[in-house]
Amino acid sequence: MPRPNVDIPASFPNPDKIIAIVSSLCAHSSVSGTEGKIGDWVASEMARIGLAVTRQEVLPGRANIIGTLETGRLGPTLLFNGHIDTLPVPEGYSHPPFEPFVANGRLYGAEINNMKGAVGAMIAAMEILHDRRDRLCGRIILSAVMAECDTLGLGTLHLIESGLSADLAINGEPTDLRVMTCHVGVTQIRMKASGVSVHVCRKAEGPNAIHALIPALAAIGEHCLSYVPHQDFPDLPNLNIGQVSGGTLASMHADRAEALVDVRTVPGMTPESVLADIRAAVEKAGAATTNGSSVTAELIARPDFCQQHPFHVERGEPVVRAVAEAHRELAGAEPYIGPLYPQVYFGTDASHLGRAGIPTVIYGPGKVEEINVADESMALLDLMTAAQVYARAAAKICGRQ
């Protein structure tokens, strides 16, 4: 890993500037499916900095925004990755959620933890790096992607499949400024049963789909999954039946029944292996066909959901070392490096990047317990630290020798 010849001033980032950037992000409502306006703002801000801007429309009105800093010199490609869509904003705010303000050393604004604070810090870092581009080599890319919260990665998968490549990546999901190296895979499955909609007085005319689905659901659980335990993933894998629906009236047979199943997986497991395990368990229990109704199980497909494999990066990877060193320089102490809890249960775009062969580390401002809560806020010091770490890590990776 090249040593930097890039001075990142201790006064960077200018507090007023980063507050303005993150406040502008928080002023835009961007619940998944409504990323258009915030994407326009991010594109204009990237252009203002001097980055080459590309817009990838993945779904109508929903685009990835990509800003590239080209140095014109041979060297590694570093990718910053963050999502611009959010969860629905919860009720209970004591102030307008999209009118951000500063109080008591904190910036208040909707969805600042997941992850408008990190995206703003990355934009600020890109500006300082652009100003020092004559002391850099290679290229640095900032990808502000759509559809992470609702599909778990459609934007980043499109980014990869469109041909974008990188040698290393930093994902900015909230880690409370700790260096996160792994998380579960996420497999989601739809199980279905069919029946005949008739009144109970005519029950001989056809099966009840719900009666068929219930024994199939009873047959599945962690016990039916094939896996090897992993020390970084304690108490995993995990299988959850999160939704069951079907039927119309208590007095009628259900003509359809459906269940959504979520499985959090450990290394060695794949969406396909999980699906095979569930199908085998249902078949073994004799629940695949009940009273004339068959039960099916299928992976939920894109664009509704992007199946994720477990994410794991070695602690010795250059991108992990660069982020850890940058944090240590600022904090004066070694950062935590490894699995985080409960974040190990989460899915992120780092899974797709890692699977594409891009060593990726997760590091960002924000606390898990403060995600998507009323009156959401973030410490200004955390924002400043994240921006500094992003810039310094990039300088370590792309600095000219």
Side-chain angles (χ1 to χ4, degrees):
M1 183 171 62
R3 301 302 301 169
N5 184 24
V6 185
D7 61 314
I8 305 299
S11 60
F12 165 78
N14 178 283
D16 291 337
K17 180 172 288 187
I18 193 167
I19 289 170
I21 292 172
V22 178
S23 293
S24 294
L25 292 169
C26 291
H28 288 85
S29 173
S30 57
V31 176
S32 299
T34 65
E35 301 99 324
K37 289 185 178 180
I38 197 172
D40 291 342
W41 186 88
V42 170
S44 67
E45 188 68 2
M46 288 179 175
R48 181 191 67 77
I49 291 170
L51 306 180
V53 181
T54 302
R55 182 189 300 268
Q56 292 181 337
E57 188 167 37
V58 183
L59 294 173
R62 306 183 69 183
N64 292 333
I65 310 298
I66 305 158
T68 303
L69 168 56
E70 291 278 5
T71 69
R73 289 172 285 275
L74 293 177
T77 296
L78 171 66
L79 174 69
F80 288 118
N81 176 258
H83 63 82
I84 52 176
D85 67 319
T86 75
L87 299 168
V89 176
E91 296 181 355
Y93 269 79
S94 63
H95 55 82
F98 301 109
E99 296 181 13
F101 63 92
V102 174
N104 301 316
R106 301 183 70 83
L107 177 54
Y108 287 77
E111 302 303 309
I112 191 170
N113 288 281
N114 189 29
M115 53 183 295
K116 292 181 178 180
V119 172
M122 288 175 172
I123 292 172
M126 290 294 282
E127 183 166 11
I128 198 74
L129 292 164
H130 183 270
D131 291 345
R132 287 157 175 75
R133 61 191 179 279
D134 60 326
R135 281 162 277 182
L136 298 170
C137 62
R139 66 178 56 84
I140 305 172
I141 303 170
L142 171 54
S143 58
V145 299
M146 50 77 79
E148 195 277 341
C149 290
D150 59 341
T151 71
L152 211 54
L154 184 62
T156 291
L157 277 174
H158 184 87
L159 193 76
I160 294 165
E161 292 168 357
S162 69
L164 184 144
S165 62
D167 299 298
L168 321 90
I170 300 172
N171 176 277
E173 291 282 3
T175 66
D176 197 16
L177 302 179
R178 293 174 290 175
V179 183
M180 181 171 167
T181 59
C182 62
H183 65 67
V184 295
V186 185
T187 296
Q188 292 195 350
I189 291 171
R190 179 177 285 109
M191 298 180 67
K192 291 182 177 181
S194 59
V196 177
S197 179
V198 294
H199 190 272
V200 293
C201 69
R202 298 162 51 197
K203 63 181 182 180
E205 295 182 19
N208 185 326
I210 292 174
H211 289 183
L213 186 60
I214 287 173
L217 296 179
I220 64 175
E222 290 85 358
H223 65 275
C224 75
L225 301 174
S226 303
Y227 68 97
V228 176
H230 193 290
Q231 63 180 5
D232 286 341
F233 299 80
D235 302 320
L236 285 159
N238 179 75
L239 185 150
N240 182 64
I241 301 168
Q243 185 181 58
V244 180
S245 61
T248 55
L249 296 170
S251 59
M252 300 286 291
H253 275 200
D255 62 351
R256 53 162 294 278
E258 178 179 294
L260 300 182
V261 179
D262 178 288
V263 183
R264 305 280 151 152
T265 60
V266 302
M269 301 173 73
T270 68
E272 291 74 22
S273 74
V274 171
L275 179 63
D277 287 342
I278 286 177
R279 285 176 170 171
V282 171
E283 190 75 34
K284 183 178 179 181
T289 303
T290 304
N291 297 326
S293 177
S294 61
V295 177
T296 62
E298 302 291 345
L299 294 174
I300 300 176
R302 294 161 57 180
D304 295 328
F305 183 75
C306 301
Q307 304 289 336
Q308 284 204 350
H309 291 247
F311 162 72
H312 199 281
V313 65
E314 295 298 329
R315 291 165 172 80
E317 282 287 346
V319 70
V320 178
R321 297 204 316 269
V323 170
E325 287 176 12
H327 181 98
R328 183 177 63 248
E329 290 170 1
L330 290 168
E334 292 290 339
Y336 173 85
I337 304 173
L340 301 179
Y341 307 98
Q343 291 99 316
V344 74
Y345 278 83
F346 297 174
T348 77
D349 282 330
S351 166
H352 302 305
L353 295 171
R355 187 161 168 75
I358 305 172
T360 302
V361 68
I362 306 174
Y363 178 93
K367 300 180 186 298
V368 170
E369 62 270 21
E370 295 172 356
I371 294 174
N372 199 234
V373 298
D375 295 342
E376 189 170 345
S377 68
M378 179 180 289
L380 292 177
L381 179 60
D382 288 355
L383 277 175
M384 307 304 156
T385 300
Q388 271 274 13
V389 169
Y390 293 148
R392 287 172 179 256
K396 293 178 184 297
I397 293 164
C398 295
R400 296 174 68 183
Q401 296 194 55

